[in-house]
Amino acid sequence: MKKALVCGGGGFIGHHLARRLKNEGYWVRSVDLKYPEYSAKDEVDDFVIGDLRDPNVWVKILDRDFDEVYQLAADMGGAGFVFTGENDADIMHNSALINLNCLYYLKEIKFKGKVFYSSSACIYPEYKQTDPNNPGLKESDAYPAGPDSEYGWEKLFSERMYLAFNRNYRINVRIARFHNIFGPEGTYEGGREKAPAALCRKVALAKDGEEIEIWGDGEQTRSFLYIDDALEGVRKLMDSDFLGPINIGSEELISINSLAKMIMEIAGKNLKLKHISGPTGVRGRNADLTLARQKINWEPKISLRQGIEKTYHWIAEQLKKQRRI
Ligand code: NAD
């Protein structure tokens, strides 16, 4: 039986990944500061509550031979967390420390398996993302570097560190750049939620004819990838010989205004959009999946509309359970 360690297994992508690995027959240990918010901790074989900034935690969790380590733990959130500037020091310090520990201790135990690192589309330079009709960011667009957030700079530094440990210590790394992953069982309020979940919540809470707030003019564009497609991409990358970095995203570009309208249609509500000032990030971001098709034979299968339907209904259901709608 293969053994996998999922760091950040209490988070959105991490707990979905841990569940998938269990379904594939792996023995799974998850590690996080917290249990998953919306699923049982005993879905995995062992759930360790621990702070991955602490070296002692790494010594404890690497007590057996893992075939695969998935490093998803990071201090992160949506635009309201990452782009205000207020959390920059913590984001850089906490996430870098986790990655420094991860690689150092894998080197120390002479790790022979594969380690997956979750980088981000936020590493791409701002100057390539000024046009809402973004043609799609290729992996090679990362340099000359110029991310628009400290979150992106930490991810870029850590990507390079994973590659350096590969070159110098033969650590077998795989690096994906996730582009806006969304789906059910993700954070939808509290300040760390991302645009799709935040908009689903706003639409679900509003009564027909009311208005919902949109940060900026809403003409900023993004592409969003449904969680099941993201996990398939991660697993294909891990099973391939390609180290990455590689985009795991979608090429279906949409403006935030159009996304809000799509959610209104799904909800059967007619709402007004009230544009207010707020952190919006870059003007236009899309993924180019040419390399993913070539190297790992992967592309998304679930359309944005299908994914948003599932996500909206899940969030509306949570709000109903809390008697808020
Ligand atoms: P998430 O915030 O839901 O999950 C991250 C998890 O890391 C959280 O459960 C958090 O508690 C845990 N964590 C943070 N600090 C920790 C620490 N010191 N010790 C132990 N655990 C700690 O985020 P997610 O959306 O599941 O993202 C997973 C990974 O993918 C992250 O590295 C993120 O940067 C990356 N990523 C995600 C997206 C996306 O759209 N969701 C896009 C690009 C990159």
Short mmCIF file of all heavy atoms in Angstrom, two decimals, residues 7-14 31-34 50-53 71-77 94 98 117-121 151 155 177-182 187 192 194, ligand 1:
data_model
loop_
_atom_site.label_atom_id
_atom_site.label_comp_id
_atom_site.label_asym_id
_atom_site.label_seq_id
_atom_site.Cartn_x
_atom_site.Cartn_y
_atom_site.Cartn_z
N CYS A 7 0.45 17.76 3.58
CA CYS A 7 0.67 18.92 4.45
C CYS A 7 -0.30 20.01 4.01
O CYS A 7 -0.34 20.39 2.84
CB CYS A 7 2.11 19.40 4.31
SG CYS A 7 3.28 18.11 4.71
N GLY A 8 -1.07 20.51 4.97
CA GLY A 8 -2.16 21.42 4.62
C GLY A 8 -3.43 20.61 4.35
O GLY A 8 -4.33 21.08 3.65
N GLY A 9 -3.49 19.42 4.92
CA GLY A 9 -4.62 18.50 4.68
C GLY A 9 -5.91 18.94 5.33
O GLY A 9 -6.96 18.31 5.12
N GLY A 10 -5.87 20.01 6.13
CA GLY A 10 -7.10 20.56 6.69
C GLY A 10 -7.66 21.67 5.83
O GLY A 10 -8.74 22.20 6.09
N GLY A 11 -6.94 22.03 4.77
CA GLY A 11 -7.38 23.13 3.90
C GLY A 11 -8.27 22.65 2.77
O GLY A 11 -8.60 21.46 2.67
N PHE A 12 -8.63 23.59 1.92
CA PHE A 12 -9.58 23.29 0.85
C PHE A 12 -9.05 22.22 -0.11
O PHE A 12 -9.62 21.13 -0.23
CB PHE A 12 -9.92 24.59 0.09
CG PHE A 12 -10.65 24.39 -1.19
CD1 PHE A 12 -11.85 23.69 -1.22
CD2 PHE A 12 -10.14 24.90 -2.39
CE1 PHE A 12 -12.52 23.49 -2.42
CE2 PHE A 12 -10.82 24.71 -3.58
CZ PHE A 12 -12.00 24.00 -3.61
N ILE A 13 -7.94 22.52 -0.79
CA ILE A 13 -7.43 21.55 -1.77
C ILE A 13 -6.90 20.31 -1.04
O ILE A 13 -7.12 19.17 -1.47
CB ILE A 13 -6.33 22.19 -2.66
CG1 ILE A 13 -6.87 23.41 -3.39
CG2 ILE A 13 -5.79 21.15 -3.66
CD1 ILE A 13 -5.83 24.20 -4.19
N GLY A 14 -6.21 20.55 0.09
CA GLY A 14 -5.58 19.45 0.82
C GLY A 14 -6.56 18.37 1.26
O GLY A 14 -6.28 17.18 1.12
N VAL A 31 -1.60 16.67 7.79
CA VAL A 31 -1.07 17.53 8.85
C VAL A 31 -1.57 18.95 8.59
O VAL A 31 -1.56 19.42 7.45
CB VAL A 31 0.48 17.58 8.84
CG1 VAL A 31 0.99 18.27 10.10
CG2 VAL A 31 1.06 16.20 8.69
N ASP A 32 -2.02 19.60 9.65
CA ASP A 32 -2.50 20.97 9.49
C ASP A 32 -2.63 21.60 10.88
O ASP A 32 -2.58 20.90 11.89
CB ASP A 32 -3.87 20.98 8.78
CG ASP A 32 -4.17 22.32 8.09
OD1 ASP A 32 -4.22 23.35 8.78
OD2 ASP A 32 -4.35 22.33 6.85
N LEU A 33 -2.81 22.91 10.89
CA LEU A 33 -3.09 23.61 12.15
C LEU A 33 -4.50 23.29 12.62
O LEU A 33 -4.82 23.46 13.80
CB LEU A 33 -3.01 25.13 11.94
CG LEU A 33 -1.63 25.73 11.65
CD1 LEU A 33 -1.77 27.18 11.20
CD2 LEU A 33 -0.74 25.62 12.88
N LYS A 34 -5.34 22.86 11.66
CA LYS A 34 -6.76 22.65 11.99
C LYS A 34 -7.31 21.48 11.20
O LYS A 34 -6.78 21.12 10.14
CB LYS A 34 -7.56 23.91 11.66
CG LYS A 34 -7.46 24.28 10.16
CD LYS A 34 -8.39 25.42 9.82
CE LYS A 34 -8.26 25.91 8.40
NZ LYS A 34 -8.67 25.02 7.33
N GLY A 50 -0.60 20.06 13.85
CA GLY A 50 0.77 20.51 14.12
C GLY A 50 1.09 21.74 13.29
O GLY A 50 0.47 22.00 12.25
N ASP A 51 2.07 22.50 13.77
CA ASP A 51 2.50 23.72 13.09
C ASP A 51 3.74 23.40 12.25
O ASP A 51 4.81 23.12 12.82
CB ASP A 51 2.80 24.80 14.13
CG ASP A 51 3.08 26.15 13.49
OD1 ASP A 51 3.48 26.18 12.30
OD2 ASP A 51 2.90 27.16 14.19
N LEU A 52 3.61 23.44 10.96
CA LEU A 52 4.70 23.03 10.06
C LEU A 52 5.84 24.05 10.02
O LEU A 52 6.85 23.82 9.37
CB LEU A 52 4.15 22.76 8.66
CG LEU A 52 3.22 21.54 8.60
CD1 LEU A 52 2.40 21.52 7.31
CD2 LEU A 52 4.02 20.24 8.71
N ARG A 53 5.69 25.16 10.75
CA ARG A 53 6.84 26.07 10.92
C ARG A 53 7.80 25.51 11.97
O ARG A 53 8.93 25.95 12.09
CB ARG A 53 6.34 27.46 11.38
CG ARG A 53 5.55 28.18 10.32
CD ARG A 53 4.89 29.43 10.88
NE ARG A 53 4.00 29.08 11.99
CZ ARG A 53 3.29 29.96 12.68
NH1 ARG A 53 3.34 31.23 12.38
NH2 ARG A 53 2.50 29.57 13.67
N GLN A 71 2.91 19.08 -0.46
CA GLN A 71 3.10 20.25 0.40
C GLN A 71 2.17 21.37 -0.07
O GLN A 71 2.51 22.14 -0.97
CB GLN A 71 4.57 20.67 0.38
CG GLN A 71 5.02 21.52 1.56
CD GLN A 71 4.05 22.60 2.02
OE1 GLN A 71 3.02 22.31 2.67
NE2 GLN A 71 4.37 23.82 1.71
N LEU A 72 1.01 21.45 0.59
CA LEU A 72 0.01 22.47 0.24
C LEU A 72 -0.15 23.52 1.33
O LEU A 72 -0.88 24.49 1.12
CB LEU A 72 -1.34 21.79 -0.02
CG LEU A 72 -1.36 20.82 -1.18
CD1 LEU A 72 -1.96 19.50 -0.77
CD2 LEU A 72 -2.08 21.38 -2.37
N ALA A 73 0.49 23.32 2.46
CA ALA A 73 0.28 24.26 3.57
C ALA A 73 0.85 25.63 3.22
O ALA A 73 1.97 25.74 2.72
CB ALA A 73 0.93 23.73 4.84
N ALA A 74 0.07 26.66 3.47
CA ALA A 74 0.51 28.03 3.20
C ALA A 74 -0.40 28.98 3.95
O ALA A 74 -1.56 28.64 4.24
CB ALA A 74 0.44 28.34 1.70
N ASP A 75 0.13 30.14 4.28
CA ASP A 75 -0.69 31.17 4.89
C ASP A 75 -1.32 31.94 3.74
O ASP A 75 -0.64 32.74 3.10
CB ASP A 75 0.21 32.08 5.74
CG ASP A 75 -0.58 32.82 6.80
OD1 ASP A 75 -1.81 32.65 6.84
OD2 ASP A 75 0.03 33.57 7.57
N MET A 76 -2.55 31.65 3.43
CA MET A 76 -3.11 32.23 2.20
C MET A 76 -4.60 32.52 2.33
O MET A 76 -5.25 32.13 3.29
CB MET A 76 -2.83 31.32 1.01
CG MET A 76 -3.60 30.03 0.96
SD MET A 76 -4.99 30.12 -0.16
CE MET A 76 -4.27 30.32 -1.76
N GLY A 77 -5.12 33.22 1.33
CA GLY A 77 -6.54 33.53 1.28
C GLY A 77 -6.84 34.20 -0.04
O GLY A 77 -5.98 34.21 -0.93
N ASN A 94 5.63 32.85 7.21
CA ASN A 94 5.04 31.55 7.57
C ASN A 94 5.18 30.53 6.44
O ASN A 94 5.57 29.38 6.66
CB ASN A 94 3.55 31.73 7.93
CG ASN A 94 3.39 32.54 9.20
OD1 ASN A 94 4.32 32.64 10.00
ND2 ASN A 94 2.23 33.14 9.39
N ILE A 98 7.63 27.04 6.28
CA ILE A 98 7.08 25.69 6.04
C ILE A 98 7.88 25.01 4.92
O ILE A 98 8.28 23.85 5.04
CB ILE A 98 5.58 25.78 5.65
CG1 ILE A 98 4.75 26.31 6.82
CG2 ILE A 98 5.06 24.42 5.18
CD1 ILE A 98 3.31 26.69 6.45
N TYR A 117 4.81 20.34 -4.81
CA TYR A 117 4.71 21.69 -4.25
C TYR A 117 3.65 22.50 -4.99
O TYR A 117 3.65 22.57 -6.22
CB TYR A 117 6.06 22.43 -4.34
CG TYR A 117 5.93 23.86 -3.89
CD1 TYR A 117 5.44 24.15 -2.62
CD2 TYR A 117 6.23 24.92 -4.74
CE1 TYR A 117 5.26 25.45 -2.21
CE2 TYR A 117 6.06 26.23 -4.32
CZ TYR A 117 5.58 26.48 -3.05
OH TYR A 117 5.38 27.78 -2.64
N SER A 118 2.75 23.12 -4.22
CA SER A 118 1.66 23.89 -4.83
C SER A 118 2.08 25.36 -4.94
O SER A 118 2.00 26.11 -3.98
CB SER A 118 0.40 23.77 -3.98
OG SER A 118 0.68 24.10 -2.64
N SER A 119 2.53 25.72 -6.14
CA SER A 119 2.79 27.13 -6.42
C SER A 119 1.51 27.76 -6.96
O SER A 119 0.43 27.15 -6.88
CB SER A 119 3.95 27.25 -7.42
OG SER A 119 4.24 28.62 -7.66
N SER A 120 1.64 28.95 -7.51
CA SER A 120 0.43 29.71 -7.84
C SER A 120 0.60 30.55 -9.10
O SER A 120 1.72 30.98 -9.43
CB SER A 120 0.13 30.64 -6.66
OG SER A 120 -0.81 31.60 -7.03
N ALA A 121 -0.52 30.84 -9.74
CA ALA A 121 -0.52 31.79 -10.87
C ALA A 121 -0.09 33.18 -10.41
O ALA A 121 0.27 34.02 -11.24
CB ALA A 121 -1.91 31.86 -11.48
N TYR A 151 2.77 37.36 -1.60
CA TYR A 151 2.37 35.95 -1.70
C TYR A 151 3.01 35.32 -2.94
O TYR A 151 3.56 34.22 -2.88
CB TYR A 151 0.84 35.90 -1.75
CG TYR A 151 0.24 34.56 -2.12
CD1 TYR A 151 0.20 33.52 -1.21
CD2 TYR A 151 -0.30 34.35 -3.40
CE1 TYR A 151 -0.36 32.30 -1.55
CE2 TYR A 151 -0.85 33.14 -3.75
CZ TYR A 151 -0.89 32.10 -2.82
OH TYR A 151 -1.44 30.90 -3.17
N LYS A 155 6.00 32.37 -3.33
CA LYS A 155 5.79 31.16 -4.14
C LYS A 155 6.93 30.99 -5.15
O LYS A 155 7.39 29.88 -5.38
CB LYS A 155 4.45 31.26 -4.88
CG LYS A 155 3.23 31.09 -3.99
CD LYS A 155 3.03 29.66 -3.58
CE LYS A 155 1.74 29.44 -2.80
NZ LYS A 155 1.74 28.15 -2.09
N ARG A 177 1.55 25.17 -10.78
CA ARG A 177 1.06 26.53 -10.52
C ARG A 177 -0.46 26.50 -10.63
O ARG A 177 -1.01 26.46 -11.74
CB ARG A 177 1.65 27.51 -11.55
CG ARG A 177 3.14 27.71 -11.37
CD ARG A 177 3.71 28.63 -12.44
NE ARG A 177 5.16 28.78 -12.26
CZ ARG A 177 6.01 29.10 -13.22
NH1 ARG A 177 5.56 29.33 -14.46
NH2 ARG A 177 7.29 29.21 -12.98
N PHE A 178 -1.13 26.50 -9.49
CA PHE A 178 -2.59 26.48 -9.48
C PHE A 178 -3.13 27.85 -9.88
O PHE A 178 -2.62 28.89 -9.43
CB PHE A 178 -3.13 26.18 -8.07
CG PHE A 178 -2.98 24.76 -7.62
CD1 PHE A 178 -2.60 24.47 -6.31
CD2 PHE A 178 -3.27 23.69 -8.46
CE1 PHE A 178 -2.48 23.17 -5.86
CE2 PHE A 178 -3.16 22.38 -8.02
CZ PHE A 178 -2.76 22.12 -6.72
N HIS A 179 -4.19 27.82 -10.70
CA HIS A 179 -4.89 29.07 -11.06
C HIS A 179 -6.31 29.02 -10.50
O HIS A 179 -7.16 28.31 -11.04
CB HIS A 179 -5.02 29.20 -12.58
CG HIS A 179 -3.73 29.43 -13.31
ND1 HIS A 179 -3.51 30.54 -14.09
CD2 HIS A 179 -2.61 28.68 -13.39
CE1 HIS A 179 -2.30 30.48 -14.63
NE2 HIS A 179 -1.74 29.35 -14.23
N ASN A 180 -6.58 29.73 -9.43
CA ASN A 180 -7.95 29.89 -8.90
C ASN A 180 -8.76 28.60 -8.87
O ASN A 180 -9.66 28.39 -9.68
CB ASN A 180 -8.73 30.93 -9.74
CG ASN A 180 -8.08 32.28 -9.71
OD1 ASN A 180 -7.75 32.81 -8.65
ND2 ASN A 180 -7.85 32.85 -10.88
N ILE A 181 -8.46 27.77 -7.90
CA ILE A 181 -9.19 26.51 -7.75
C ILE A 181 -10.43 26.77 -6.89
O ILE A 181 -10.34 27.48 -5.87
CB ILE A 181 -8.30 25.44 -7.06
CG1 ILE A 181 -6.88 25.43 -7.66
CG2 ILE A 181 -8.96 24.08 -7.13
CD1 ILE A 181 -6.79 25.17 -9.14
N PHE A 182 -11.56 26.22 -7.29
CA PHE A 182 -12.79 26.45 -6.51
C PHE A 182 -13.62 25.18 -6.47
O PHE A 182 -13.36 24.23 -7.22
CB PHE A 182 -13.61 27.60 -7.13
CG PHE A 182 -14.33 27.18 -8.40
CD1 PHE A 182 -15.67 26.83 -8.36
CD2 PHE A 182 -13.65 27.10 -9.61
CE1 PHE A 182 -16.34 26.42 -9.52
CE2 PHE A 182 -14.30 26.68 -10.77
CZ PHE A 182 -15.65 26.35 -10.73
N THR A 187 -13.69 27.57 1.89
CA THR A 187 -14.05 28.73 2.71
C THR A 187 -14.93 29.69 1.90
O THR A 187 -14.58 30.03 0.77
CB THR A 187 -12.76 29.46 3.14
OG1 THR A 187 -11.93 28.50 3.78
CG2 THR A 187 -13.03 30.62 4.06
N ARG A 192 -10.95 35.06 4.16
CA ARG A 192 -9.96 34.35 3.35
C ARG A 192 -10.58 33.72 2.10
O ARG A 192 -9.90 33.06 1.31
CB ARG A 192 -9.28 33.25 4.17
CG ARG A 192 -8.30 33.81 5.20
CD ARG A 192 -7.50 32.69 5.84
NE ARG A 192 -6.65 33.19 6.90
CZ ARG A 192 -5.34 33.01 6.98
NH1 ARG A 192 -4.71 32.33 6.05
NH2 ARG A 192 -4.63 33.48 7.99
N LYS A 194 -12.28 33.15 -1.63
CA LYS A 194 -11.91 33.66 -2.95
C LYS A 194 -13.18 34.09 -3.70
O LYS A 194 -14.29 33.80 -3.26
CB LYS A 194 -11.19 32.58 -3.75
CG LYS A 194 -10.28 31.72 -2.92
CD LYS A 194 -8.84 32.02 -3.22
CE LYS A 194 -7.93 31.32 -2.23
NZ LYS A 194 -8.15 29.90 -2.12
P1 NAD B 1 -6.17 26.70 2.33
O1 NAD B 1 -5.87 27.96 3.04
O2 NAD B 1 -7.55 26.17 2.37
O3 NAD B 1 -5.17 25.54 2.79
C1 NAD B 1 -3.90 25.79 3.31
C2 NAD B 1 -3.80 25.05 4.62
O4 NAD B 1 -2.51 25.25 5.17
C3 NAD B 1 -4.82 25.56 5.68
O5 NAD B 1 -5.65 24.51 6.12
C4 NAD B 1 -3.93 26.08 6.79
O6 NAD B 1 -4.45 25.85 8.10
C5 NAD B 1 -2.65 25.26 6.57
N1 NAD B 1 -1.53 25.91 7.21
C6 NAD B 1 -1.16 27.21 7.13
N2 NAD B 1 -0.10 27.44 7.91
C7 NAD B 1 0.21 26.25 8.48
C8 NAD B 1 1.20 25.85 9.41
N3 NAD B 1 2.10 26.72 9.88
N4 NAD B 1 1.24 24.56 9.80
C9 NAD B 1 0.33 23.66 9.34
N5 NAD B 1 -0.62 23.99 8.45
C10 NAD B 1 -0.69 25.27 8.04
O7 NAD B 1 -5.72 26.93 0.81
P2 NAD B 1 -5.99 26.05 -0.49
O8 NAD B 1 -6.88 26.83 -1.36
O9 NAD B 1 -6.37 24.66 -0.12
O10 NAD B 1 -4.54 26.05 -1.13
C11 NAD B 1 -3.63 24.98 -0.96
C12 NAD B 1 -2.30 25.37 -1.58
O11 NAD B 1 -2.48 25.69 -2.95
C13 NAD B 1 -1.64 26.59 -0.94
O12 NAD B 1 -0.26 26.41 -0.91
C14 NAD B 1 -2.00 27.71 -1.89
O13 NAD B 1 -1.07 28.76 -1.82
C15 NAD B 1 -1.98 26.99 -3.22
N6 NAD B 1 -2.82 27.66 -4.23
C16 NAD B 1 -4.16 27.63 -4.10
C17 NAD B 1 -4.94 28.28 -5.06
C18 NAD B 1 -6.45 28.28 -4.97
O14 NAD B 1 -7.08 28.87 -5.84
N7 NAD B 1 -7.07 27.67 -3.98
C19 NAD B 1 -4.34 28.96 -6.12
C20 NAD B 1 -2.96 28.97 -6.20
C21 NAD B 1 -2.21 28.30 -5.25
#
